Amino acid sequence: MDMGWRSGQSSAALENRVHRLETRVAALTEALRVPAHGLEDLAMTEPESRQAAEARRQAYDLLPVADPPPAGPVGARAPDGAAGPARRGDDMAGAPVTLFACGDVMTGRGVDQILPHPGDPELREGYIGDARGYVRLAERASGPIPRPVSFSWPWGDALPVIAAMAPDVRVINLETSITRSGCFAPGKWVHYRMSPGNVACVAAAQPDVCALANNHVLDFGRAGLEETLQTLARAGLTGAGAGRDVTQARQPAAVPVPGGRVLVFSCADASSGIPPDWAATAVRPGVDLLPGLTGAAADALIGRAAAARQDGDLAIVSIHWGTNWGYAVGEDQVRFAHRLVDGGIALIHGHSSHHPRPAEVYRGRLILYGCGDCIDDYEGISGHAEYRDDLRLLYFASLAPGTGALEELRMVPMQARKMRLRHARTADSRWLAATMTRISRRFGSRIGLQPDGTIALRAADRAVPSADGT
């Protein structure tokens, strides 16, 4: 976490974040059945027991009381590139609010099987009946994966990058159920499930908000959703977009920041593949499923945000929408996003596609139409190679306090190898920058690869030159 060394952060915000971290430590320690003290006194004789103790120790070590100031580059790239330092200084007065966002975090299925406490590997897919088959596919593509890996393994190089960028708010789209349930949701081809014993993998990135309104959180029915909500709560993690009724599903997560809060609303559209009966109602658990990308739906969301906002607050919408493949953005999505911004929403965090989609700055506010995948077990699956879905982006948006106007968007290129995020090579970073430039040109976005290896977008009146000066 980024708390003690930020001298300008308000005491109330600091106390809140300390309390949440302490809750996570206590909950995860209990979940893993590790005493808060005396880890070194665990006497293990069998090899598997020693491995389990080490996995638990690593999980506990993932939750420090405070992160130190970043000592190295933002994203020490592969050997052929280097990255610059974090930009945040000591004086927080009037400083922008920095948000970390990423696309789909799918820590179930094959990823779950390499973690310390894998669940039942059974699948009911037409081509693979065992989740360990996805591990074999990844190993065939990239080489052996050690087992069990630490809880931080899937995040890999992303964790020091996030720590160096020191965001005020961290938001992920958690696209899996967390359950031991064996009740597969009917009518679905693919089901994602992570063992509750592996929730420390999600906690490794210390997300402030897990967006849950997506097409996999109910893959194991409403009992699976209930266990997911309970597991996150016990781990001190905050979910949004799903709940035991529609009121809870629509409740925003509130993250304290200097001068106010960031309110995160999580919702979804049926275009992402969510069955209609997954919608939460007054008497039924589920997700906040929009009735459509209509003006009325946007106005209802704007109204809820206006009712929840206090002075100094920023509201963002994390929305699961659209198909898995393709760079096109539907006119209904554009109209919906613009209407939200017109109604006071500071940022749109879109996801569902397996690769990044365009980024737009509309009336000074950032719209990410699709953030692509972040963590998953898709490595080695053939098809759609032209989209390079092995390449990922970590998004860091700096917003003006009080207004939410975009000051800068930095995107850090990553690549998934051995079910782990690694720094992308220079050639791959250039490909991503060129692709984002090309697909975002429709929206007037100026995007450039920077000397530090990040990809930058700024507001239209502050155009970003590429590293080569164009």
Side-chain angles (χ1 to χ4, degrees):
M1 263 187 174
D2 45 10
M3 43 182 163
W5 59 280
R6 288 195 191 175
S7 59
Q9 195 164 10
S10 70
S11 60
L14 283 173
E15 290 173 2
N16 183 281
R17 295 177 75 85
V18 169
H19 173 73
R20 284 187 293 148
L21 183 55
E22 289 173 342
T23 301
R24 292 179 190 179
V25 171
L28 284 172
T29 300
E30 174 63 25
L32 294 171
R33 292 185 171 85
V34 181
H37 303 287
L39 288 171
E40 298 302 326
D41 295 334
L42 293 175
M44 301 294 182
T45 56
E46 295 297 323
E48 288 187 359
S49 296
R50 286 198 299 269
Q51 290 176 355
E54 177 60 22
R56 294 186 184 104
R57 184 180 292 108
Q58 291 172 6
Y60 187 77
D61 288 342
L62 281 171
L63 297 169
V65 173
D67 287 338
V74 166
R77 296 154 51 109
D80 55 359
R87 297 170 291 104
R88 189 172 295 278
D90 291 333
D91 184 8
M92 294 293 293
V97 175
T98 299
L99 170 84
F100 162 67
C102 63
D104 300 346
V105 174
M106 200 292 287
T107 48
R109 205 168 63 176
V111 177
D112 182 61
Q113 294 303 304
I114 68 173
L115 292 170
H117 307 292
D120 186 347
E122 180 190 1
L123 298 177
R124 296 183 183 176
E125 300 174 8
Y127 41 92
I128 293 184
D130 189 306
R132 290 167 292 193
Y134 285 95
V135 181
R136 290 190 288 271
L137 282 175
E139 291 181 321
R140 195 175 303 161
S142 302
I145 299 172
R147 275 169 273 179
V149 299
S150 68
F151 292 116
S152 63
W153 173 278
W155 294 97
D157 292 336
L159 293 184
V161 169
I162 297 170
M165 297 294 277
D168 299 282
V169 183
R170 307 179 186 200
V171 181
I172 67 172
N173 173 50
L174 183 58
E175 195 178 37
T176 184
S177 60
I178 308 176
T179 180
R180 295 181 181 88
S181 171
C183 297
F184 289 75
K188 292 204 70 186
W189 289 95
V190 175
H191 300 79
Y192 294 154
R193 170 177 54 180
M194 180 177 77
S195 166
N198 287 331
V199 70
C201 178
V202 179
Q206 300 173 14
D208 293 294
V209 183
C210 299
L212 300 177
N214 57 58
N215 61 319
H216 287 289
V217 75
L218 273 89
D219 276 356
F220 288 82
R222 288 183 165 81
L225 172 62
E226 176 63 28
E227 190 172 9
T228 300
L229 297 173
Q230 290 178 358
T231 301
L232 291 174
R234 283 196 298 266
L237 299 171
T238 301
R244 296 171 182 87
D245 56 35
V246 68
T247 300
Q248 185 180 19
R250 290 177 175 175
Q251 185 72 25
V255 183
V257 297
R261 303 174 300 169
V262 172
L263 306 178
V264 181
F265 292 82
S266 170
C267 59
D269 180 60
S271 60
S272 64
I274 298 180
D277 64 355
W278 283 22
T281 69
V283 296
R284 183 178 70 189
V287 301
D288 184 11
L289 182 62
L290 299 170
L293 298 178
T294 64
D299 290 344
L301 189 50
I302 291 166
R304 292 197 295 274
R309 269 201 307 262
Q310 302 172 4
D311 289 345
D313 288 352
L314 299 177
I316 75 170
V317 170
S318 183
I319 181 169
H320 205 64
W321 60 358
T323 57
N324 287 337
W325 303 102
Y327 295 122
V329 177
E331 290 300 327
D332 56 345
Q333 292 176 283
V334 175
R335 286 194 299 269
F336 192 82
H338 286 187
R339 189 146 181 160
L340 290 180
V341 171
D342 290 340
I345 302 300
L347 184 148
I348 313 298
H349 169 223
H351 36 81
S352 180
S353 58
H354 290 314
H355 54 82
R357 281 190 168 137
E360 177 186 15
V361 180
Y362 170 72
R363 297 187 64 183
R365 307 310 189 271
L366 178 63
I367 301 172
L368 299 170
Y369 284 104
C371 290
D373 290 329
C374 185
I375 291 175
D376 56 44
D377 64 356
Y378 307 157
E379 197 174 346
I381 300 176
S382 59
H384 303 287
E386 67 273 22
Y387 294 108
R388 291 296 311 272
D389 65 309
D390 61 314
L391 299 181
R392 316 289 164 85
L393 288 173
L394 308 177
Y395 298 80
F396 298 89
S398 297
L399 312 179
T403 69
L406 179 69
E407 296 199 357
E408 183 179 53
L409 171 67
R410 289 268 176 170
M411 296 167 275
V412 179
M414 310 296 287
Q415 184 180 36
R417 297 196 299 275
K418 298 185 179 182
M419 294 190 183
R420 192 181 200 191
L421 294 179
R422 311 298 296 186
H423 293 291
R425 296 178 176 85
T426 299
D428 292 330
S429 296
R430 287 174 178 158
W431 185 90
L432 273 171
T435 299
M436 286 298 293
T437 297
R438 174 173 54 83
I439 66 177
S440 302
R441 189 173 294 125
R442 161 190 174 188
F443 299 102
S445 301
R446 293 283 305 275
I447 298 171
L449 181 65
Q450 303 303 292
D452 66 358
T454 63
I455 300 170
L457 178 154
R458 295 193 184 95
D461 58 345
R462 297 164 62 187
V464 181
S466 314
D468 60 7
T470 60

